[in-house]
Amino acid sequence: MELEFRRVDVEKELRRLRDFDRRVFPKADLFPASFWRAAEVYWMLVDGKRVGCCALQEELETTGVLAISSSGILPAWQGIGLGRVMKAWQIAYARRHGYRRVVTETRESNVRMIRLNESFGFKIVGTTPGCYYDPDEAAVEMELMLC
């Protein structure tokens, strides 16, 4: 199996990104086009096939902080360790680019993502009630200190 992360040309692939988003996440969690245009986005390719996607953004309020704004693997490819590979790649990306801290958030019910993040050393730093809707749910905020 050949694995690759390739930067997305968002303007050229916006429709494909939004379609991917719809295939991975509930309707209430879909991002608008403006989100994708503001992020640095990467496809995760397995043998040339797009099976995952992640969006990264530099935190504007605090220098040296990378936000993992979206991570998704197509349902047919979940449960075989690709999420772990993607998380390792995201952390390596942050280190290569000199970030001191990585932040992310997820639905409180997304226990698999919370546990995955914790396995890499992320700590829960807070929750935001009502951050998600349909259903109404808190966001779990997590961070990983790199230095």
Side-chain angles (χ1 to χ4, degrees), residues 35-49:
F35 164 82
W36 294 110
R37 288 184 178 109
E40 189 165 330
V41 186
Y42 290 85
W43 290 120
M44 175 188 232
L45 304 159
V46 174
D47 296 331
K49 180 179 173 86

Side-chain angles (χ1 to χ4, degrees), residues 2 4 23 43-52 74 77:
E2 183 179 328
E4 171 190 1
R23 294 170 62 197
W43 290 120
M44 175 188 232
L45 304 159
V46 174
D47 296 331
K49 180 179 173 86
R50 291 174 193 85
V51 302
L74 290 173
W77 291 84

